[in-house]
Amino acid sequence: MRSEDMLTGGQILVECLKNEGVDVIFGYPGGAVLPIYDALYDSDILHVLTRHEQAAAHAADGYARATGRPGVCMATSGPGATNLVTGIATAAMDSVPMVAITGQVPTTLIGKDAFQEADITGITMPITKHNYLVRDVNDLPRIVKEAFYIATTGRPGPVLIDIPRDVSAGKTEYRDPGPIGLRGYMPRLAGEPAKVAAAAKLIAQARRPLIYAGGGVINSGAAEYLRKLAETIMAPVAVTLMGIGCFPGDHPLFLGMLGMHGARYTNYAVNECDLLLAIGVRFDDRVTGKVDSFASHAKVIHIDIDPAEFGKNVPVDISIAGDVRTVLVDLIKNLTCNPDPAWQEKIARWKKEYPLDYSREGLRPQAVIRELSDMLQGRQYRVTTEVGQNQMWAAQHFCITRPRSFISSGGLGTMGYGFPAAIGVQVACPDELVFDIAGDGSIQMNIQELTTAVNYELPVNVAILNNGYLGMVRQWQELFYNRRYSQTELTNPDFVKVAEAFGAEGLRVEKSAEIRPALEQAIASSKPVFLDFIVEREENVMPIVPPGEAISRMLG
Amino acid sequence: MRSTYSVLVENNPGVLARVAGLFSRRGYNIDSLSVSRTDDPTVSRMTIVVEGEKVVLEQVTKQLRKLVDVIRVRDITDEPHVDRELVLIKVNADSGTRGDIMQIVEIFRGRIVDVGEYTSIVEVTGDEGKINAIENALKPFGIIELVRTGKVAMQRGTRTVLVED
């Protein structure tokens, strides 16, 4: 082999990433990944330097959720790798395609408790779809190709590739690995025809059908078919937190989110439907509440790419394993239905009787979200959220009309997710308005990323619903712990000054009349903006289903 | 309910940790697990015995199938199959008791594979019942040490993990 044909492992990795269409990596360098960073120096892949590896993972995750393409993050070994863990777990819980690349100590030092050694493949086994420790530089092309294939096909998820330093520094000739041969991994796309036919039959018999749709609809690009299905069978559509955007928020059949913070009319509809069509969902405990009482009058049809979800939490009558879009296309072909007009009327009555409402006195967080939602309609925008009250108010009150424009940590509920995710979203969608809805607690979990936003001129806006509390925890303490506010009151920095210190813009809003002008100013600004909304301190997210209760038994 | 699974996996480093980790983190209890490579050096085979309710066991197979390194999972509990375990038992044995022990071992068609001044090691293969029985029979002499391989199993006839009748 001629020496000019030889490439380092780092250079081979960069070649492989380019072959996969990777145009951006979110990461943070360190000793064990130096050969890779050295190779990146000559490449045209954009590297976004975050200030913490957790943020790199969340940014890659935001990028992936906004585009549907895999997000790539990178960190060095040991603490760099373990800092990715929360971001990887977040992606795993929400089925986000991600490839995480970590440096590892040289193969000769593995197992010796070397400086910055951590068994990251061992650590991430439960939170990745699959992971690899590369032991030979010649395996790199095959492993990278497999990693992207696994991350993006079937039920998407994160895949980690751990690369020891001698492997990334080692030289060999780059060879295309050829076709992928994974005997144990063959995602099924089409649903069994007999089951699809059985589902169509069950739908035809239903009088009070209801669709419960989730992130799987967005992942498979099935929003259009979901809409067609709902309109054909005249079924109202309740969505999960991950499903927000899979059905237009302004559609007459839209019921919004169900479950713990679902609207009263939505949970009542789930309780009374006679057919529950569960599509791309996993019957999360925040959705079902007390499982025995969930949709207890309904036959259940469950469509999902992951057969392990069938019957995991709730028994189902018909389960169809397959890609949601493929299955819906098949299902829609032979649908008839016979819904009872009284069903629609009943839901309309409930909607009127139990709207999602809030007090108009003072500066209410819901008002901020409604105002922002109104202002963004008709524009190209994306919303991310942090976790807690801010997230639930956003889920309840933001009118989201298209997929991939509401981006939130559902399964893991990761505080500190929204802001770095918004950075990833803004990188993916440079021409769109990006807002992170935040709480004063959550924003402080990755506030250092203001530097990243400023450095890369990413005009991300952060609406901080500042109530001086860890709001959702305080709300639980109020409702279930006799108002004993243990460790939930926050003493915060001046967020306006913080923003300014980082080179961003800061605005404080204390009256409801100021909401709109402040939002307009933020939208017009070319800088990242922190909007510090000083909201009513003890506002609650209502309704709420107490933990362990049936979802029809709401408070508020 | 107790179920026996035959599982084919890629012979990759860490595959046992993936399988075992899946059981522990989902709270499933493994009764026994035996693993080794097959005639194909790229494939290992596991026999896993799990105790649990029907829904739990269903999840076990589904979660196993999700692992990229798992090639095939088959629940052979209700299929005609042969299963065997091997046990080594070190038992107190002196000139006074050795004869009795040999008789018992004979009945169980086992073998004495080591004889010391005060101890013997007995080797027996068989199904779980037989292994339990010899353990009980030797107990009165004083078992010093015991090691069981856990169950290995194979379907009868032309059925295999990969091929159904």
Side-chain angles (χ1 to χ4, degrees):
Chain A
M1 201 184 297
R2 292 178 311 172
S3 65
E4 59 265 33
D5 292 334
M6 304 276 272
L7 298 176
T8 66
Q11 289 168 323
I12 289 171
L13 175 67
V14 169
E15 278 307 304
C16 295
L17 293 175
K18 283 202 272 193
N19 289 344
E20 297 297 332
V22 173
D23 53 7
V24 58
I25 295 173
F26 301 89
Y28 203 97
V33 275
L34 278 179
I36 299 172
Y37 272 88
D38 192 59
L40 269 180
Y41 196 70
D42 299 320
S43 117
D44 50 8
I45 295 175
L46 170 69
H47 180 278
V48 174
L49 176 68
T50 57
R51 287 300 183 273
H52 191 294
E53 291 89 348
Q54 183 193 349
H58 291 326
D61 171 310
Y63 175 93
R65 293 194 209 210
T67 61
R69 297 199 299 272
V72 180
C73 56
M74 187 151 72
T76 192
S77 65
T82 54
N83 276 349
L84 289 178
V85 165
T86 303
I88 295 171
T90 304
M93 286 288 267
D94 290 344
S95 308
V96 176
M98 175 189 283
V99 174
I101 297 161
T102 49
Q104 181 56 277
V105 300
T107 46
T108 48
L109 289 180
I110 290 178
K112 308 266 172 73
D113 297 327
F115 176 66
Q116 294 198 330
E117 181 189 358
D119 172 18
I120 197 64
T121 45
I123 290 169
T124 58
M125 236 173 232
I127 55 162
T128 49
K129 191 168 168 188
H130 193 56
N131 62 22
Y132 295 91
L133 169 62
V134 188
R135 289 168 188 276
D136 182 339
V137 64
N138 293 299
D139 292 338
L140 249 181
R142 173 183 61 81
I143 286 175
V144 175
K145 195 169 181 180
E146 284 180 8
F148 276 85
Y149 177 67
I150 292 168
T152 53
T153 52
R155 180 178 181 168
V159 177
L160 180 134
I161 309 172
D162 196 27
I163 309 177
R165 202 168 99 150
D166 55 326
V167 171
S168 56
K171 283 192 162 186
T172 188
E173 196 181 11
Y174 172 73
R175 284 199 192 89
D176 186 279
I180 289 169
L182 290 165
R183 296 182 273 199
Y185 180 75
M186 276 166 277
R188 184 190 173 96
L189 286 184
E192 265 181 70
K195 287 194 166 185
V196 175
K201 201 170 156 194
L202 214 53
I203 292 168
Q205 290 162 0
R207 301 286 282 157
R208 301 186 306 278
L210 182 114
I211 293 170
Y212 150 46
V217 176
I218 296 172
N219 280 343
S220 74
E224 183 193 331
Y225 298 98
L226 173 69
R227 184 181 170 145
K228 211 167 182 180
L229 171 74
E231 288 173 349
T232 308
I233 66 172
M234 286 305 288
V237 180
V239 296
T240 65
L241 180 71
M242 299 309 300
I244 291 174
C246 76
F247 193 77
D250 52 1
H251 195 287
L253 286 170
F254 185 64
L255 282 184
M257 188 170 66
L258 79 167
M260 182 172 272
H261 291 295
R264 216 165 246 280
Y265 51 83
T266 316
N267 288 353
Y268 283 171
V270 175
N271 193 38
E272 290 206 12
C273 68
D274 68 352
L275 175 72
L276 188 78
L277 201 43
I279 308 176
V281 294
R282 60 186 181 88
F283 294 88
D284 178 84
D285 52 285
R286 290 274 154 134
V287 159
T288 62
K290 190 178 172 192
V291 170
D292 300 343
S293 316
F294 180 73
S296 50
H297 309 293
K299 295 260 185 208
V300 179
I301 298 170
H302 190 183
I303 303 169
D304 203 276
I305 188 104
D306 182 357
E309 291 303 336
F310 301 140
K312 187 176 85 177
N313 299 329
V314 167
V316 295
D317 297 281
I318 297 175
S319 55
I320 307 175
D323 170 61
V324 166
R325 186 167 66 169
T326 313
V327 174
L328 288 188
V329 169
D330 287 348
L331 182 62
I332 287 166
K333 278 181 199 153
N334 45 3
L335 273 184
T336 51
C337 73
N338 186 23
D340 183 355
W343 176 229
Q344 299 290 338
E345 287 159 23
K346 198 170 197 179
I347 291 173
R349 209 165 50 243
W350 281 331
K351 272 186 162 176
K352 222 178 214 172
E353 212 171 324
Y354 309 108
L356 279 172
D357 209 1
Y358 56 92
S359 159
R360 300 300 194 270
E361 278 169 36
L363 179 51
R364 299 285 166 173
Q366 299 94 327
V368 175
I369 286 164
R370 290 253 174 135
E371 193 84 55
L372 178 59
S373 175
D374 287 349
M375 285 175 71
L376 293 181
Q377 297 312 314
R379 294 180 189 240
Q380 293 289 89
Y381 69 89
R382 312 272 177 159
V383 179
T384 69
T385 81
E386 301 291 343
V387 165
Q389 287 186 317
N390 63 84
Q391 177 185 35
M392 290 299 118
W393 283 319
Q396 289 179 334
H397 296 280
F398 220 111
C399 177
I400 302 287
T401 54
R402 62 186 181 128
R404 303 194 179 282
S405 47
F406 183 85
I407 289 166
S408 189
S409 167
L412 199 66
T414 309
M415 287 177 73
Y417 168 81
F419 184 39
I423 287 174
V425 172
Q426 188 79 78
V427 169
C429 314
D431 302 326
E432 300 194 31
L433 285 165
V434 178
F435 268 87
D436 172 34
I437 313 272
D440 46 320
S442 277
I443 191 61
Q444 291 182 76
M445 282 213 176
N446 271 315
I447 201 162
Q448 76 286 347
E449 296 309 319
L450 251 177
T451 308
T452 310
V454 169
N455 284 175
Y456 291 89
E457 298 180 352
L458 301 166
V460 171
N461 300 299
V462 184
I464 304 170
L465 306 175
N466 184 350
N467 53 16
Y469 281 117
L470 295 176
M472 189 62 95
V473 190
R474 186 211 57 76
Q475 174 173 337
W476 280 47
Q477 287 170 334
E478 178 190 328
L479 298 175
F480 312 122
Y481 291 86
N482 203 21
R483 303 182 82 98
R484 287 152 56 85
Y485 295 164
S486 176
Q487 302 302 319
T488 41
E489 187 163 13
L490 298 177
T491 307
N492 290 322
D494 181 331
F495 289 115
V496 172
K497 282 189 179 159
V498 167
E500 286 166 0
F502 275 92
E505 230 174 278
L507 293 167
R508 180 158 298 114
V509 180
E510 289 173 288
K511 295 193 187 88
S512 57
E514 297 165 358
I515 298 174
R516 202 176 179 93
L519 288 172
E520 270 166 4
Q521 195 177 330
I523 288 169
S525 170
S526 57
K527 284 184 178 178
V529 181
F530 267 16
L531 290 139
D532 187 20
F533 293 98
I534 310 297
V535 297
E536 291 295 320
R537 293 204 72 195
E538 300 205 1
E539 181 68 302
N540 286 334
V541 180
M542 289 296 178
I544 176 173
V545 177
E549 247 326 335
I551 61 166
S552 55
R553 298 173 68 90
M554 288 155 279
L555 305 175
Chain B
M1 185 180 162
R2 210 145 168 252
S3 292
T4 303
Y5 298 94
S6 287
V7 183
L8 290 185
V9 298
E10 297 284 349
N11 191 7
N12 287 340
V15 68
L16 178 60
R18 283 181 207 283
V19 171
L22 184 150
F23 281 86
S24 63
R25 76 171 177 272
R26 293 196 180 262
Y28 309 142
N29 199 21
I30 301 179
D31 256 25
S32 91
L33 189 159
S34 62
V35 54
S36 195
R37 73 160 184 79
T38 62
D39 53 320
D40 176 349
T42 68
V43 177
S44 289
R45 178 163 173 155
M46 299 181 177
T47 305
I48 308 176
V49 183
V50 190
E51 174 83 45
E53 288 171 29
K54 192 167 169 277
V55 277
V56 171
L57 296 173
E58 251 178 55
Q59 262 302 300
V60 168
T61 44
K62 286 173 174 173
Q63 294 296 338
L64 275 174
R65 287 193 178 113
K66 278 178 74 166
L67 296 178
V68 172
D69 280 340
V70 170
I71 301 165
R72 187 61 71 99
V73 181
R74 176 155 292 170
D75 180 353
I76 62 165
T77 318
D78 298 326
E79 291 187 35
H81 68 270
V82 181
D83 64 71
R84 289 288 180 275
E85 230 184 311
L86 183 146
V87 66
L88 295 176
I89 305 172
K90 188 183 288 180
V91 62
N92 282 325
D94 54 26
S95 50
T97 55
R98 195 160 287 137
D100 295 343
I101 289 170
M102 282 174 79
Q103 260 188 347
I104 290 168
V105 171
E106 188 84 357
I107 291 164
F108 283 93
R109 273 167 289 154
R111 292 195 299 165
I112 294 186
V113 292
D114 181 68
V115 177
E117 203 175 337
Y118 304 109
T119 60
S120 288
I121 298 178
V122 175
E123 173 201 301
V124 182
T125 56
D127 62 18
E128 200 187 352
K130 182 177 163 187
I131 304 288
N132 290 342
I134 188 153
E135 190 185 328
N136 286 332
L138 294 177
K139 231 174 221 165
F141 300 96
I143 293 174
I144 300 164
E145 204 177 2
L146 181 148
V147 55
R148 290 168 75 148
T149 57
K151 191 196 268 192
V152 291
M154 190 177 266
Q155 294 132 285
R156 293 179 183 273
T158 50
R159 284 171 177 243
T160 72
V161 175
L162 290 170
V163 183
E164 283 180 77
D165 267 348

